[in-house]
Amino acid sequence: MNKHVADATRIGRASGAKAPEFQELYDFDAAALTLTSAVFPYDSQIHRAHVVMLATQEILTADEAATILKGLEKADELAAADASLRTYLPYEAALKREIGNVAGKMHIGRSRNDLANAGKRMFLRDQLLRTISAVIDLREAVVNKAADHLETVMVVYTQRKEAQPITLGHYLMAISENLSKNLDRYRQLYPRINQCPLGAAATAGTGWPLDRDLTASLLGFDGLVVNSIEGVAGWDHVAEFASDNAIFLAGISRLASEIQLWSTDEYQVAELDASFAGTSSIMPQKKNPDSLERSRKAAFAAMGPLVGILTSLNGIEYQYSAARVELEPRSIDALIAATHAMTGVVRTLHPNKEQMLRYAAENYATMTDLTDMLVRRIGIDYREAHEIVARVVITAIERGIKANRIDLALVQEAAVAQIGHEIDVSEDEIKDALDPVQNVRRRKGKGMPAPQAVQAAIDDARQSLKRNRIWFNDTLKALAAAQQRLETSVETIVG
């Protein structure tokens, strides 16, 4: 486990070390790059791949290509020290100062339009992989926590009201299934992002005999954005990434909100680890859920890029336009920070098992099973049984009787009031119906809260995680292989 980071703000009930995943929520904003700086390393790769392709097609001579490739090394050094050189025309001018007019030949057969779109696709490709890796880690933490709590009985809520008994493991596997769908969306997006627009030039392509497939291969793209207009006008992959992020973070926010509710002084069913909590500068008793609130803030902020991108697309024609809103590095860094933080929160969360079980036993969450028992035992219709149990609950609340203290006499009293006579049930049957542990064990169907059903879901999730990790690693290997091909091609030309 990572060593926790010391912080002078760690006082009061949150004294001690702050988890690095929590610290990331404070640090990402100041560390965020501009989009221009974030994309520049990809532009540098594109220059090299384009020159290699031009030499292969004999559009450049070997000497011209070698001179340009050697000059790019110096131009990159200058741009690393001077951010103003990270946009294309100033960069080309710097290259020209280093190697002369041959630098201008690097631009044969392309435009800033297809160059910019290719660089941003490569940047988004890597950010998408970064996101997928973080979501896989979060899902794994959720599944592992669920496996630790197969029999930790708790109440599930609907409309912020106690509903029925489940287990913490069952609840967490619901989160796991949601994360699985997010991983599906992100993986489905990858091949749509990983298409190369180079060769589209400004929008109508070029008369030069380019090998578009070679350039795409050297840069790790899976294929081409075939139509030259779509190559520079297409922006749906950016909107889709922003949409997927907003959907994913909405789920993260709901989980954080629920954990925050559990950790309140009134509920006390779970406790945040101190390494993920803050404190008050004035109230020493406070243990603030800062990691949760800052993660939720990142989720709220994710809506801005999505709305901005879609609004910009609605406001322009189907063509290249600088009016399109980008997906900025800061937005993605916020998502990653929130995902890392929630991974740590889940991994270190301290459930209060006794309190969870007490709520499930005392607070009328077992009434559905009492109703079901009456239907099975005496053959009345569900609505009649529902009304009998509703009378039981109303009377119990009025008399201060907890759910696990409801007895045969109270049920018979409600039955007489509702249907005019007593019913043929026993004290043991009522006790069994009102036992939250038995409530859970009766729900053995697929996807339900009984321990064996949850274990089956955990087993399936672990296989899914394994497949996702294999895909992720294979994708990284493919990109590394493309990078090696590019470097080898450059070395062959430079000599």
Side-chain angles (χ1 to χ4, degrees):
M1 183 180 294
N2 292 327
K3 291 182 179 179
H4 292 172
V5 179
D7 188 327
T9 66
R10 308 291 288 163
I11 58 176
R13 286 187 63 200
S15 61
K18 180 184 288 183
E21 301 97 328
F22 184 18
Q23 184 65 41
E24 188 178 352
L25 284 168
Y26 290 83
D27 295 342
F28 79 87
D29 201 4
L33 296 172
T34 64
L35 185 60
T36 298
S37 291
V39 170
F40 176 75
Y42 303 101
D43 289 344
S44 185
Q45 292 182 56
I46 291 168
H47 298 329
R48 287 164 171 78
H50 187 66
V51 170
V52 168
M53 183 274 295
L54 292 177
T56 302
Q57 295 298 98
E58 299 183 350
I59 298 169
L60 293 179
T61 68
D63 287 344
E64 288 172 331
T67 299
I68 294 171
L69 290 170
K70 290 175 183 176
L72 287 172
E73 294 182 15
K74 179 60 178 177
D76 283 354
E77 291 177 9
L78 295 172
D82 183 355
S84 69
L85 299 180
R86 295 172 196 164
T87 54
Y88 182 72
L89 290 179
Y91 180 89
E92 184 185 63
L95 179 64
K96 192 172 183 178
R97 288 192 294 270
E98 292 297 321
I99 63 173
N101 289 338
V102 69
K105 291 192 173 185
M106 182 175 71
H107 204 55
I108 289 173
R110 69 176 183 176
S111 163
R112 284 182 298 171
N113 295 2
D114 62 342
L115 169 61
N117 277 13
K120 288 167 187 174
R121 279 178 177 268
M122 293 174 72
F123 165 71
L124 291 176
R125 174 179 72 189
D126 280 0
Q127 298 309 302
L128 180 56
L129 290 175
R130 186 179 170 218
T131 300
I132 288 171
S133 178
V135 179
I136 288 173
D137 288 346
L138 173 57
R139 190 183 183 204
E140 185 171 61
V142 167
V143 171
N144 288 343
K145 198 73 171 183
D148 292 338
H149 293 281
L150 291 174
E151 302 200 34
T152 300
V153 175
M154 61 176 283
V155 173
V156 68
Y157 288 74
T158 62
Q159 298 163 293
R160 293 191 175 178
K161 301 290 286 185
E162 290 176 315
Q164 294 176 278
I166 59 164
T167 65
L168 179 56
H170 182 237
Y171 174 86
L172 290 170
M173 289 312 296
I175 302 300
S176 168
E177 188 167 333
N178 178 268
L179 292 172
S180 176
K181 290 184 287 184
N182 282 283
L183 283 168
D184 287 346
R185 276 188 285 270
Y186 282 129
R187 280 188 54 180
Q188 290 160 9
L189 172 60
Y190 185 84
R192 287 191 281 277
I193 281 183
N194 200 31
Q195 296 175 345
C196 183
L198 292 168
T203 191
T206 175
W208 293 94
L210 306 183
D211 186 343
R212 297 185 66 194
D213 293 307
L214 173 60
T215 311
S217 174
L218 292 172
L219 294 171
F221 287 105
D222 294 328
L224 300 176
V225 183
V226 178
N227 185 277
S228 63
I229 300 173
E230 168 68 5
V232 298
W235 211 245
D236 53 288
H237 60 286
V238 181
E240 188 176 353
F241 199 173
S243 174
D244 289 350
N245 291 347
I247 293 169
F248 164 65
L249 284 169
I252 288 291
S253 181
R254 295 176 74 185
L255 172 62
S257 178
E258 191 124 35
I259 294 174
Q260 185 169 351
L261 193 66
W262 294 349
S263 69
T264 58
D265 297 329
E266 291 76 18
Y267 281 73
Q268 295 183 3
V269 296
E271 186 80 8
L272 276 183
D273 191 83
S275 63
F276 285 92
T279 191
S280 166
S281 63
I282 187 173
M283 296 170 283
Q285 83 279 7
K286 292 289 293 298
K287 184 179 178 184
N288 291 335
D290 286 358
S291 58
L292 301 175
E293 292 191 339
R294 286 177 178 269
S295 295
R296 294 172 70 190
K297 181 179 179 181
F300 304 154
M303 290 302 299
L306 174 58
V307 173
I309 290 165
L310 292 176
T311 301
S312 73
L313 294 179
N314 275 301
I316 60 174
E317 297 72 30
Y318 193 77
Q319 56 187 247
Y320 180 86
S321 173
R324 294 175 298 193
V325 172
E326 314 274 5
L327 187 56
E328 296 288 341
R330 180 184 175 279
S331 171
I332 300 170
D333 289 347
L335 178 148
I336 297 295
T339 306
H340 287 165
M342 289 304 299
T343 301
V345 165
V346 170
R347 188 184 64 247
T348 62
L349 189 67
H350 306 288
N352 185 342
K353 296 182 182 181
E354 294 76 16
Q355 185 82 315
M356 286 180 166
L357 181 58
R358 185 169 70 84
Y359 283 156
E362 293 182 352
N363 293 353
Y364 310 104
T366 53
M367 295 303 106
T368 299
D369 267 35
L370 180 58
T371 306
D372 286 343
M373 184 274 289
L374 295 183
V375 172
R376 283 194 300 268
R377 181 69 182 84
I378 62 177
I380 60 176
D381 70 83
Y382 189 86
R383 194 55 53 213
E384 200 77 84
H386 185 284
E387 291 306 303
I388 291 172
V389 174
R391 287 179 178 273
V392 168
V393 173
I394 291 169
T395 303
I397 291 173
E398 289 174 348
R399 298 175 185 175
I401 301 170
K402 299 295 185 182
N404 57 345
R405 295 289 183 259
I406 291 172
D407 58 13
L408 177 60
L410 186 55
V411 173
Q412 295 292 20
E413 180 183 335
V416 170
Q418 179 66 28
I419 60 176
H421 59 82
E422 292 189 348
I423 54 180
D424 183 17
V425 294
S426 69
E427 193 77 63
D428 286 343
E429 288 171 325
I430 291 171
K431 183 178 180 180
D432 180 73
L434 297 176
D435 183 346
V437 174
Q438 295 304 319
N439 272 234
V440 166
R441 289 177 180 169
R442 276 188 281 272
R443 287 164 166 75
K444 297 180 288 188
K446 192 170 185 178
M448 297 183 192
Q452 62 266 42
V454 177
Q455 184 61 59
I458 289 170
D459 294 341
D460 288 345
R462 284 178 168 157
Q463 288 301 311
S464 175
L465 282 164
K466 183 178 179 180
R467 290 191 295 271
N468 277 313
R469 288 200 184 278
I470 290 171
W471 176 90
F472 179 79
N473 290 330
D474 287 347
T475 302
L476 290 184
K477 288 176 184 176
L479 292 175
Q483 180 66 32
Q484 184 59 55
R485 288 195 300 273
L486 175 58
E487 291 174 3
T488 299
S489 299
V490 169
E491 290 170 4
T492 299
I493 293 173
V494 171

